[in-house]
Amino acid sequence: MIDLRSDTVTKPTAEMRKAAYEAEVGDDVYQEDPTVKELERTAAEMLGKEAAMFVTSGTQGNQIAVLTHTRSGNEIIVEQDSHIFNYEGAAISAFAGVQPRTIKGNRGAMNPAEVEAAIQGEDVHNPETGMICIENTHNRAGGAVVPLENMEAIYQVATANQIPVHLDGARLFNAAVAIGRPVKDIAQYTDTVQFCLSKGLGAPVGSIIAGSEEFINQARKWRKRLGGGLRQVGVIAAPGLVALRTMVDRLAIDHENAKFLAEGLGNISGMNVVNQIDTNIVLVNVSERGLTSNQYAALLKDHGVLVSTFGPRLVRFTTHYDVNRESIEDALRIVSKI
């Protein structure tokens, strides 16, 4: 099978497996695991933040941010197609007791003026705005990179209103590689940031959340409450270190493969690529094939290609470490054939 469903399907490299096997470990709930501590220091330095914390997943990292920044009854401002709103099981409401105020973005980027207009203060009728969330890259916008000037403008609005900004940077390193800037240049316009080790970076599990030392100290209690306090976690933190040290620059290969794939798909009748290819995601409208996205995905699977569905008409192709150019060419031949 040529698996283009997601970059989450990547398998750990041989170097990651070796690092896991040889990892020095300790009890991380007591903050005694040296490998986790090294991973957290490394991540914080890369992001330009005071401190960082290893979490089990991007969703857990986002929820810890909401729980730490807000209080029950608050409202958080999010882009209407954001992951935290669409794909996290309504956790912001179930756990933190906050409600979302959604803003329709342009390729995932919210208009700063609309963000400012959406902020609510102390009125007995309204929930106070407790947090603003930006997603970069933006998944449902096809891996779009939110421009730095947009992030800066939103951060200035938030700072003026004393509201924290959280970055759902699940694919943050894809954004950084795409614009040729270090990740700290993106993270500077946020108070806290979460990124995944387990997507394009290829580690088998885990994410990082970072911010001020005060924030991370509070976040550790929320991680514990959510069941995220782990013990000899160095065996899964070690592959994360390998990912940060060896897998960042090669993301450019995934981006080039996505552009190659998009160009090839665009030359096939009835395959309408609907997004600008910034990073590693290609969205295709298949309605002209006379099939729903579920039907088309099933047809592709029967011929050896796996894709994700994005609503009734869209399918998503995602390039990653385990799919090389030859596999992309094979996938294009299959799509053309059927």
Side-chain angles (χ1 to χ4, degrees), residues 5-23:
R5 289 174 298 172
S6 176
D7 43 14
T8 61
V9 303
T10 55
K11 305 297 191 298
T13 64
E15 186 177 356
M16 290 179 185
R17 294 174 187 269
K18 184 174 186 291
Y21 180 75
E22 296 178 348

Side-chain angles (χ1 to χ4, degrees), residues 251-288:
L251 291 172
I253 298 172
D254 297 340
H255 300 174
E256 288 302 315
N257 282 340
K259 291 175 183 176
F260 178 81
L261 175 61
E263 182 178 356
L265 291 171
N267 290 327
I268 299 171
S269 176
M271 300 294 287
N272 298 314
V273 177
V274 301
N275 66 309
Q276 175 183 313
I277 311 304
D278 288 351
T279 54
N280 66 324
I281 293 175
V282 182
L283 300 180
V284 180
N285 188 315
V286 297
S287 57
E288 288 186 19

